[in-house]
């Protein structure tokens, strides 16, 4: 199996860029060739943090200084075209190139990777993140979902091919969710937990897709979907993607119908394998409720699981995320428990080691690194997570939130909006990014709506946005009530707010806006809080060094 490692040699990167630009198979337009040259040269010069939609638009595409990426999507559109041109190059004349230049979706900073032959027990480094080929999950019960072949209803030309194509894509996409075990149409229906079936038909010039999910223990249907998506004369690939991804998003992700059903209905069988999986279900349930009272119960269950099943990557990832969440949401009695941050990082690294193809492992790693101040490495981990499973809306929303906290609105806002558009059951925590965006633009009424929708009474940050936005709108009683909730959760928050926002890597100007808003609303903040806030720590992407592999702490000491 081929492994990848980060390329840091400027000579190699420059030579590869020249090779691409001179190839007839790189079919990009002249301005997209300038686009590629610009972002690669900026990254090589150590200025990756300056590669934004605004700088690209004004430097490459000749836009004026009043360019607004929210109103003009040229950079996002051309970035998509350039990615397709790069993909074509690497599928043709560049298929044997040792160095690969790519522009991850949702970002404009290039990543430089080298194909390497694997060595026994060797490490894999992607985007600055070091992992090792691991053994994956062993002897842990995971729900098995049987994907039946989607049935073409009717004899319209192309319908049978579309049905078969949808079946293949659903199987491939569900298999990316490592909490699930997926089998295809040829597998016997016995000894599976769920059966997913469906059909495609042509009616009134439209393609109509229907899908059903049945649990096999009692034969109950627990989910169904029915929608239209264009006509048979349209692009078959686009239709296949639309149908399959809609099904996969609804069924497969942790906030989807299948895991939610298991969390509510699955009995505690008493077997060790089932108890291990149930501890992961407990984590996903607690993540949706934001109840700090569940913290100790879920933590103890996961700690027992990793002792019992030391190869269960999902349990390591969930425990890492739980430790990070205790700091992230200032759980009462746990807020000062920052000594759990290093175990959170180690647990996430172990999850990546055990299951390097798991999106959830990289999600946990990205969150832990963010709170350790390793901003660029955290974003690299989250991008890798999204690459591994582009249908996990929690990952997309998390990446979008991190960009919003950095005030990278053109990167972050579309990701969060996409996540909530595709999965309305997604936990509301990521809406804080949208609330901050509206507040930044002076749209305080919309900022207030997003903050209210979060419904997280035990977390300070929705109350912060309510206090600031309500006061700006002249709703002084609501602002005062929100301040009361803030002080009930943290009586000294006025003294701590600047350090708190800095520890969360909030952009200095954004943090200053929030502090001023809180002070205007009546929160007692020291004058020093209104001084310029130092920027968070960052690391240039080119300069990122692979981590030295550290041993994971023994479970009994976590």
């Amino acid at each position: 199996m081929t492994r990848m490692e980060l390329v840091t040699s400027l000579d190699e990167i420059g030579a590869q860029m020249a090779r691409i630009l001179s190839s007839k198979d790189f079919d990009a337009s002249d301005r997209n060739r300038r686009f590629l040259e610009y972002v690669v040269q900026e990254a090589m010069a150590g200025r990756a943090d300056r590669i934004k939609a605004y700088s690209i638009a004004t430097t490459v595409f000749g836009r004026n200084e009043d360019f607004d990426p929210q109103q003009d999507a040229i950079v996002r559109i051309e970035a998509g075209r350039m990615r397709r041109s790069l993909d074509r190059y690497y599928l043709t004349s560049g298929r044997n190139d040792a160095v690969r230049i790519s522009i991850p979706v949702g970002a404009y900073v290039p990543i430089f990777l080298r194909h390497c032959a694997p060595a026994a027990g060797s490490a894999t480094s992607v985007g600055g993140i070091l992992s090792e080929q691991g053994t994956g999950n062993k002897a842990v019960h995971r729900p098995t979902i049987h994907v039946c072949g989607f049935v073409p209803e009717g004899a319209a030309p192309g319908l049978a091919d579309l049905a078969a194509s949808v079946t293949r894509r659903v199987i491939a996409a569900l298999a990316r969710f490592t909490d699930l075990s997926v089998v295809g149409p040829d597998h016997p229906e016995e000894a599976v937990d769920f059966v997913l079936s469906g059909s495609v038909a042509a009616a009134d010039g439209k393609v109509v897709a229907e899908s059903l999910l049945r649990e096999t223990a009692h034969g109950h249907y627990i989910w169904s979907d029915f929608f239209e998506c264009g006509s048979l004369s349209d692009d078959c690939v686009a239709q296949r993607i639309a149908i399959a991804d809609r099904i996969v998003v609804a069924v497969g992700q942790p906030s989807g119908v299948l895991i939610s059903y298991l969390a509510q209905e699955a009995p505690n069988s008493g077997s060790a394998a089932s108890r291990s999986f149930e501890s992961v279900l407990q984590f996903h349930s607690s993540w949706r409720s934001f109840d700090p009272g569940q913290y100790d119960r879920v933590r103890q269950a996961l700690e027992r699981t990793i002792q019992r099943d030391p190869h269960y990557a999902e349990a390591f990832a969930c425990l890492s995320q739980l430790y990070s969440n205790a700091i992230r949401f200032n759980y009462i009695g746990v807020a000062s428990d920052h000594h759990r941050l290093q175990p959170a990082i180690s647990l996430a690294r172990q999850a990546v080691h055990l299951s390097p193809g798991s999106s959830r492992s990289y999600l946990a790693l990205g969150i832990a690194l963010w709170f350790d101040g390793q901003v660029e490495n955290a974003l690299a981990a989250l991008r890798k997570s999204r690459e591994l499973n582009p249908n996990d809306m929690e990952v997309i929303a998390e990446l979008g939130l991190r960009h919003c906290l950095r005030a990278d609105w053109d990167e972050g806002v579309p990701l969060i909006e996409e996540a909530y558009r595709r999965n309305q059951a997604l936990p509301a925590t990521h809406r804080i990014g949208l609330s901050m965006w509206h507040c930044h633009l002076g749209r305080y009424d919309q900022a207030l709506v997003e903050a209210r929708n979060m419904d997280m009474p035990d977390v300070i940050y929705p109350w912060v946005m309510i206090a600031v936005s309500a006061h700006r709108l002249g709703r002084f009683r609501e602002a005062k009530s929100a301040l009361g909730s803030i002080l009930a959760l943290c009586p000294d928050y006025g003294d701590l707010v600047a350090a708190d926002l800095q520890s969360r890597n909030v952009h200095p100007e954004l943090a200053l806006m929030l502090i001023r808003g809180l002070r205007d609303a009546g929160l007692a903040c020291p004058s020093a809080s209104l001084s310029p806030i130092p920027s968070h720590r960052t690391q240039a992407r080119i300069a990122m060094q692979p981590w030295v592999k550290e041993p994971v702490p023994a479970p009994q000491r976590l």
Side-chain angles (χ1 to χ4, degrees), residues 430-511:
H430 307 96
R431 292 191 179 277
I432 193 73
L434 300 179
S435 183
M436 289 180 172
W437 174 54
H438 288 305
C439 192
H440 165 74
L441 294 176
R443 299 193 295 241
Y444 301 113
D445 53 343
Q446 296 177 63
L448 189 58
V449 168
E450 293 292 353
R452 288 171 176 165
N453 285 339
M454 293 183 69
D455 190 24
M456 298 165 61
D458 295 318
V459 178
I460 279 180
Y461 307 103
W463 296 119
V464 168
M465 299 310 303
I466 290 173
V468 172
S469 303
H471 181 78
R472 297 299 187 211
L473 291 168
R475 300 177 184 179
F476 303 123
R477 181 177 298 177
E478 185 174 6
K480 183 177 180 180
S481 175
L483 287 181
S485 297
I486 291 171
L487 295 175
L489 291 169
C490 182
D492 300 325
Y493 194 66
D495 297 325
L496 303 174
V497 58
D500 181 49
L501 295 176
Q502 183 184 3
S503 73
R504 295 170 186 279
N505 305 304
V506 176
H507 189 281
E509 293 181 7
L510 182 58

Side-chain angles (χ1 to χ4, degrees), residues 79-100:
R81 290 171 177 166
M82 186 171 64
R83 291 185 189 102
R84 289 192 290 273
S85 294
L86 283 170
D87 287 343
R88 170 179 166 77
Y89 169 77
Y90 281 109
L91 286 171
T92 53
S93 60
R95 62 186 178 275
N96 295 321
D97 288 3
V99 175
R100 185 180 185 95

Side-chain angles (χ1 to χ4, degrees), residues 31-82:
R31 68 178 181 178
N32 277 349
R33 288 169 177 270
R34 295 195 302 271
F35 189 167
L36 179 63
E37 282 187 284
Y38 172 74
V39 296
V40 170
Q41 288 172 354
E42 287 293 285
M44 290 171 65
R47 296 189 293 268
D49 58 320
R50 301 184 188 179
I51 302 176
K52 305 291 176 61
Y54 179 85
S55 62
I56 295 168
T58 55
T59 303
V60 178
F61 298 138
R63 291 298 196 261
N64 296 327
E65 293 182 358
D66 59 355
F67 171 77
D68 182 356
Q70 297 301 323
Q71 302 299 324
D72 187 342
I74 183 172
V75 179
R76 288 200 297 273
I77 292 171
E78 295 303 323
R81 290 171 177 166
M82 186 171 64

